[in-house]
C-alpha cells in the first residue's frame, strides 16, 4: 500500500464515520415546548407567511433565505475526474458547502441535478430562486457553463456565480495586479499567452480585458494549438473572441516576448526554453493541478527574474479559489445583491491585491503566511488562503461595489458596524490548525514519539510523512513496530521513512544512561536505576533524545498517567528560564470559535503570580495559531462583585499581567458569560480592557479548568487539541490516553512550529 492508497482509505473513512457525509441541518430557534412549536409551525408560522406574501422583502428578515446559497452541479466536469455524473459529484459539493460555512458563516444546500442539457439546467436552477439568496454553479463542463450562467443571470434576481470561472479569475487578477505593480508594467501594454481555453481560462481573460488588457495582446492556445481566425476545430463563440489573425500555430510560436504566461491546461506544456524567451521579469502562472505546466524550480532556473504562481499549496503564491468565493457571497448576500457584476469582481481583485501589500497585523504571528515569503514581493503576490483578514477586506469591498453599481436591495447604512460584525467570522474557522501545518512544512523538524508501537502513533506517523509536517522518530521494538505496520496496512518503513530507537538494543544505550545520570543523578537516580529506566521507560528515552539534541520536540502520554510522564519531563527537559512550573493549555475548537483553557492538567491551586505567568505563556502559544489572544481571568466574581480568596487571587493576577505585559489584551476577574458575551460585559464594566469575545480562559484552579474543558468537550461536541504543555525549556507535550491519531497529528504540528523558533525568543520575559 502506498501513501496515496492510505489517503484513499482514510478519505473514505472520513466521509463514512461517525455518520455519512459532511453536512447536517440544525434548528436555530428553540423547540423545547408546545409554545415553541406553535411559533415555529402551525399556527404561528402563518404570520410569517402572510408578512412575506404582503412584502416579499421580508423573506430576508423572517427566513434563512438571505444567508442561504445553493451549490449546484450536474457533474459534467468534476475536479480532474471529468463527467462522472451528479451523484458522484455530491462529495465535492458537500465539501464546497463546508467551506462556505467555515470561512463565511453561509449556509448551503448542495444540489446535484440530473440535467445534461443547457436548457434543462437553466429551467431547473431558475426554478429554485424562491429558496435561495444566491447560486454557486460548480463543476459544469465548458462551453455549456458560459451559456448556462448567462441565461440564469438574465432570468434570476439573485447572484449567480460560476466559481470555476470567476473565483479563479479574481485570484489571477489580483496576482497579475501585484506582479505588474512590482515590475512597473501596465496591463494595457503586456503580452498575455494563455495555455488552456476552458471555463476558468476564458473567464480569467475576460476579467483581465475588463481591467484594461488589450485583446490584441492576448494569445490563446488549447489542445489544438493557437486559437486563430479561420480555425474550425474545437471552436465556439466564447473562444472566438480571442482568435488572432496569424500563421502561428503552437505555443512555442507565440511565447517569445510574453510578459505573462497563464496556464490552466495540462502538465509540462511550458518548457524551460520557452520561459527563457519571455520578456523581462515575466509572470509564470502555471495553475494546472496537481502537476503544473512547469515546475517552479525549472521555471526559476530558466529565468531567475521570473515571478511564479501555481495552484499548489506546497509552493508560494498559491492561486486558490477559497481566497475569494465565500467572502464575495458574504458581501453580496449582506446587501441583498441581485447579481455579482463586474464591478463587484473588480472590487474583490483590488481588495485581495491590496491585502497582499499590507504588513501583517498583530494577530498574525511571525512566520505564518502559508509558506509564502515574508512580506509583499515576488514570492508573496497574493495573501495566504487562511489569512483571517480576507473576509474583513473582500466582503465590505464587494458590498460597497454592489451598492455603488445599483444591485443592492438592502444597502448597509454603517460600514463600521458591518465590519465589526464580520469580525465574528475572522477567527472562527474550523480549519484553525491549517496555519500551523503550513508553517511546520516550511522547515520540518525532528519529532520523537515515546509510544512508537501504538496504532494511533503509527497512523499519525504516516500522515506526518505524507504532509511533510516533521521528521518522525519512534521509540519502539523493531519487530513489534514492523508487525503492526503490516497489520494496519500502512506504507511506512523504519529506517527509510522514520528513525527508530529500540529500547532493548540501541547502540546509544550507554551514552543515554550516562546522560540520564548527569541530568537526574542529584534527584535520586542511581546508576543502577538509570540503566533500568533507560531500558524500560519510553518517555525518558524520548526526553533524553530532545535533551541531547537528537530530536527537536517530543510527544508522549498516549499510554499511562499524565503525572508520571510529567515527572520525567520535569526532571529531564526542565523549565524555561523564569517559569516556576509547567501548565497545560487546552484548545477547544467549537462551532462558535476556538477557545483556550488553562490550566487543565498541572497546577492544583496556583497563586496569582503563577496564574499571571501561565497567562503570559499561553498568549505566545495562541499567537502561533494566527489568533490575537484575548485573555479573561475567570472567576465566580464579576469585577469585585464578590470578595473571596479566589476572586482576590484572580484580581491580582490580572494586575500582574497588565503590569508586566501591557501589550496583551486581558481583563478580569470576571464570570464566564461576561468573558464570552461582550454585551453582558459592557453592562457590568463598560470600559473593560477586553474587547469582543475572550478566546483564552484562565481558570483559578485545576478543578474549574478541567471541569470546564470536559463539559465543553462533551456538550458542545468540540474538537479538543492538546494538552499543550507550556513552560518547558524545549518542546515537550504530554497527551492523554483518549487521544486519537488526528489529535497526535495536530500536536505534532504544534510541537514542530514551537521547535522551529530559536531558543530564547520562544517565550516572553516573565516575572522576577
Amino acid at each position: 500500500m502506498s501513501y496515496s492508497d492510505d489517503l484513499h482509505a482514510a478519505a473514505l473513512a472520513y466521509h463514512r464515520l461517525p455518520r455519512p457525509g459532511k453536512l447536517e441541518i440544525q434548528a436555530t430557534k428553540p423547540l423545547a415546548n408546545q409554545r415553541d412549536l406553535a411559533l415555529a409551525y402551525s399556527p404561528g408560522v402563518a404570520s410569517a407567511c402572510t408578512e412575506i406574501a404582503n412584502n416579499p422583502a421580508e423573506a430576508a428578515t423572517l427566513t434563512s433565505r438571505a444567508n442561504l446559497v445553493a451549490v449546484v452541479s450536474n457533474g459534467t466536469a468534476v475536479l480532474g475526474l471529468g463527467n462522472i455524473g451528479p451523484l458522484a459529484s455530491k462529495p465535492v459539493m458537500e465539501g464546497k458547502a463546508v467551506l462556505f460555512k467555515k470561512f463565511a458563516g453561509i449556509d448551503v444546500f448542495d444540489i446535484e441535478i440530473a440535467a445534461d442539457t443547457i436548457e434543462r439546467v437553466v429551467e431547473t436552477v431558475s426554478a429554485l430562486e424562491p429558496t435561495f439568496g444566491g447560486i454557486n454553479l460548480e463543476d459544469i463542463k465548458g462551453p455549456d457553463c458560459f451559456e448556462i450562467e448567462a441565461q440564469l443571470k438574465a432570468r434570476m434576481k439573485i447572484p449567480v456565480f460560476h466559481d470555476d470561472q470567476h473565483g479563479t479569475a479574481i485570484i489571477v487578477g489580483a496576482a497579475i495586479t501585484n506582479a505588474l505593480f512590482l515590475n512597473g508594467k501596465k496591463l494595457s501594454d503586456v503580452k498575455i499567452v494563455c495555455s488552456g481555453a476552458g471555463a476558468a481560462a476564458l473567464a480569467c481573460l475576460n476579467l483581465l480585458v475588463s481591467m484594461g488588457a488589450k485583446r490584441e495582446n492576448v494569445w490563446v492556445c488549447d489542445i489544438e494549438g493557437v486559437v486563430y481566425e479561420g480555425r474550425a476545430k474545437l471552436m465556439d463563440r466564447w473562444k472566438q473572441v480571442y482568435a488572432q489573425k496569424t500563421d502561428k500555430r503552437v505555443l512555442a510560436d507565440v511565447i517569445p516576448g510574453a510578459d505573462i504566461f497563464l496556464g490552466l491546461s495540462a502538465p509540462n506544456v511550458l518548457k524551460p526554453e520557452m520561459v527563457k524567451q519571455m520578456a523581462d521579469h515575466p509572470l509564470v502562472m502555471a495553475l494546472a493541478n496537481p502537476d503544473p505546466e512547469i515546475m517552479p524550480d525549472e521555471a526559476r532556473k530558466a529565468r531567475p527574474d521570473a515571478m511564479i504562481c501555481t495552484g499548489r499549496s506546497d509552493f508560494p503564491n498559491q492561486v486558490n479559489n477559497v481566497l475569494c468565493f465565500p467572502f464575495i457571497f458574504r458581501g453580496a448576500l449582506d446587501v441583498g445583491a441581485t447579481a455579482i457584476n463586474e464591478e463587484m469582481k473588480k472590487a474583490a481583485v483590488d481588495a485581495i491585491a491590496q491585502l497582499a501589500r499590507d504588513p501583517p497585523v498583530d494577530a498574525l504571528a511571525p512566520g505564518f503566511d502559508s509558506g509564502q515569503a515574508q512580506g509583499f514581493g515576488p514570492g508573496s503576490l497574493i495573501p495566504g488562503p487562511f489569512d483571517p483578514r480576507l473576509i474583513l477586506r473582500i466582503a465590505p469591498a464587494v458590498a460597497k461595489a454592489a451598492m455603488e453599481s445599483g444591485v443592492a436591495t438592502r444597502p448597509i447604512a454603517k460600514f463600521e458596524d458591518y465590519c465589526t460584525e464580520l469580525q465574528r467570522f475572522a477567527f472562527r474557522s474550523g480549519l484553525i490548525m491549517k496555519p500551523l501545518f503550513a508553517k511546520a512544512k516550511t522547515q520540518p523538524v525532528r519529532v520523537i514519539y515515546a509510544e512508537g508501537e501504538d496504532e494511533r502513533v503509527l497512523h499519525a506517523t504516516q500522515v506526518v510523512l505524507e504532509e511533510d509536517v516533521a521528521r518522525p522518530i519512534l521509540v519502539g521494538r523493531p519487530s513489534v513496530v514492523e508487525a503492526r505496520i503490516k497489520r494496519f496496512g500502512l506504507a511506512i518503513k523504519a529506517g527509510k521513512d522514520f528513525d527508530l530507537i529500540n529500547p532493548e538494543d540501541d547502540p546509544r544505550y550507554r551514552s543515554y544512561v550516562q546522560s540520564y545520570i548527569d541530568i537526574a543523578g542529584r534527584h535520586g537516580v542511581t546508576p543502577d536505576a538509570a540503566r533500568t529506566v533507560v531500558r524500560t521507560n519510553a518517555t525518558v528515552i524520548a526526553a533524553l533524545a530532545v535533551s541531547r539534541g537528537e530530536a527537536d520536540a517530543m510527544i508522549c502520554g498516549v499510554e499511562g498517567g499524565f503525572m508520571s510522564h510529567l515527572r520525567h519531563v520535569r526532571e529531564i527537559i526542565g523549565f524555561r528560564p523564569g517559569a516556576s512550573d509547567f501548565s497545560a493549555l487546552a484548545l477547544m475548537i467549537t462551532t462558535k470559535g476556538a477557545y483556550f483553557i488553562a490550566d487543565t492538567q498541572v497546577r492544583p491551586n496556583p497563586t496569582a503570580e503563577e496564574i499571571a505567568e501561565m497567562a503570559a505563556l499561553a498568549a505566545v502559544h495562541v499567537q502561533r495559531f494566527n489568533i490575537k489572544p484575548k485573555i479573561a481571568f475567570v472567576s465566580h466574581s464579576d469585577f469585585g462583585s464578590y470578595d473571596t480568596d479566589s476572586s482576590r487571587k484572580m484580581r491580582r493576577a490580572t494586575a500582574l499581567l497588565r503590569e508586566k505585559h501591557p501589550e496583551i489584551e486581558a481583563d478580569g476577574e470576571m464570570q464566564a458569560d461576561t468573558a464570552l458575551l461582550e454585551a453582558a460585559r459592557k453592562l457590568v464594566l463598560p470600559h473593560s480592557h477586553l474587547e469582543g469575545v475572550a478566546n483564552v480562559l484562565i481558570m483559578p484552579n485545576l478543578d474549574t479548568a478541567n471541569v470546564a474543558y470536559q463539559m465543553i468537550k462533551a456538550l458542545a461536541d468540540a474538537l479538543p487539541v492538546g494538552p499543550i504543555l507550556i513552560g518547558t525549556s524545549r518542546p515537550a507535550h504530554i497527551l492523554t490516553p483518549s487521544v486519537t491519531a488526528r489529535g497526535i497529528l495536530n500536536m505534532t504540528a504544534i510541537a514542530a512550529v514551537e521547535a522551529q523558533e530559536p531558543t530564547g525568543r520562544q517565550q516572553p520575559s516573565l516575572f522576577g
Side-chain angles (χ1 to χ4, degrees), residues 551-575:
D552 302 298
M554 68 171 284
I555 291 176
C556 63
V558 177
E559 300 170 2
F562 186 94
M563 297 309 294
S564 64
H565 292 284
L566 184 68
R567 178 169 61 85
H568 296 303
V569 171
R570 184 180 278 128
E571 70 180 3
I572 298 171
I573 300 296
F575 307 131

Side-chain angles (χ1 to χ4, degrees), residues 25 73 92 132 139 148 199 270 294 329 430 437 449 481 497 507 571 639-640 660 699 702 704 765:
I25 296 175
S73 181
V92 179
F132 297 100
D139 291 352
I148 288 168
L270 183 66
I294 187 171
F329 269 97
F437 280 93
Y449 303 86
V481 170
D497 299 310
E571 70 180 3
F639 301 109
K660 299 292 185 180
M699 300 296 184
L702 181 59
T704 53
S765 172

Side-chain angles (χ1 to χ4, degrees), residues 442-731:
T442 64
Q443 182 188 333
V445 301
R446 300 162 299 174
V447 177
I448 186 168
Y449 303 86
E451 294 89 0
E453 298 175 0
D454 189 277
E455 175 184 0
R456 294 161 294 175
V457 171
L458 292 170
H459 277 285
T461 297
Q462 174 144 326
V463 181
V464 165
L465 289 163
E466 289 175 353
E467 298 293 329
D468 198 23
V469 175
R471 295 192 292 272
I473 305 170
L474 273 58
V475 179
R477 295 162 292 178
S479 59
V480 175
V481 170
E482 183 178 356
R484 292 183 178 179
I485 287 174
K486 185 176 181 180
R487 184 197 310 169
F488 304 142
L490 301 177
I492 53 177
K493 186 174 182 180
K496 176 185 176 184
D497 299 310
F498 62 89
D499 294 327
L500 188 65
I501 295 179
N502 179 7
E504 293 182 340
D505 184 22
D506 191 279
R508 293 165 290 188
Y509 170 70
R510 292 182 182 276
S511 62
Y512 267 51
V513 170
Q514 188 58 52
S515 294
Y516 190 34
I517 293 171
D518 293 342
I519 293 169
R522 293 183 179 275
H523 299 281
V525 177
T526 65
D528 284 345
R531 283 188 284 270
T532 300
V533 170
V534 173
R535 282 278 191 223
T536 59
N537 194 302
T539 298
V540 169
I541 295 171
L544 288 170
V546 172
S547 177
R548 289 161 54 94
E550 296 170 3
D552 302 298
M554 68 171 284
I555 291 176
C556 63
V558 177
E559 300 170 2
F562 186 94
M563 297 309 294
S564 64
H565 292 284
L566 184 68
R567 178 169 61 85
H568 296 303
V569 171
R570 184 180 278 128
E571 70 180 3
I572 298 171
I573 300 296
F575 307 131
R576 64 163 305 280
S580 60
D581 200 352
F582 301 138
S583 305
L585 181 67
L587 166 60
M588 308 298 294
I589 303 175
T590 76
T591 56
K592 292 188 175 181
Y595 301 92
F596 297 82
I597 302 174
D599 166 16
T600 58
Q601 299 286 344
V602 180
R603 310 191 199 204
N605 189 21
T607 65
E609 289 75 14
E610 291 173 333
I611 289 173
E613 173 191 309
M614 76 170 70
L617 292 171
V620 175
H621 282 271
V622 172
Q623 287 174 334
R624 293 192 178 108
F625 290 84
N626 281 8
I627 295 175
K628 181 179 180 180
K630 293 176 176 286
I631 297 176
F633 291 88
V634 180
S635 170
H636 66 287
S637 173
D638 246 347
F639 301 109
S641 62
Y642 284 84
D643 190 27
T644 63
D645 289 343
S646 176
S647 63
R648 286 193 296 269
K649 178 174 72 172
M650 299 307 282
R651 213 172 300 154
R652 174 165 168 72
T654 304
L656 285 169
L657 183 69
R658 189 173 302 133
E659 174 188 347
K660 299 292 185 180
H661 295 283
E663 76 282 0
I664 298 177
E665 187 176 333
D667 211 339
E669 84 289 8
M670 68 180 76
Q671 294 179 357
D673 61 339
T674 307
L676 299 174
L677 300 171
E678 185 177 28
R681 187 162 63 253
K682 286 185 175 180
L683 290 174
V684 180
L685 189 69
H687 304 296
S688 170
H689 295 285
L690 182 65
E691 294 183 1
V693 177
N695 52 30
V696 183
L697 306 177
I698 304 297
M699 300 296 184
N701 55 48
L702 181 59
D703 286 343
T704 53
N706 194 269
V707 168
Y709 164 74
Q710 300 292 352
M711 289 186 68
I712 293 171
K713 185 169 66 171
L715 299 179
D717 193 25
L719 171 66
V721 178
I724 303 168
L725 196 62
I726 58 181
T728 57
S729 66
R730 302 285 298 276

Side-chain angles (χ1 to χ4, degrees), residues 159-170:
V160 177
F161 187 83
H162 186 209
D163 185 48
D164 296 331
Q165 294 182 51
H166 308 300
T168 302
I170 288 165

Side-chain angles (χ1 to χ4, degrees), residues 732-755:
H733 298 285
I734 305 169
L735 307 182
T736 59
S738 63
V739 71
T740 62
R742 179 187 186 186
I744 296 169
L745 177 64
N746 283 336
M747 282 307 304
T748 300
I750 291 172
V753 170
E754 186 181 359

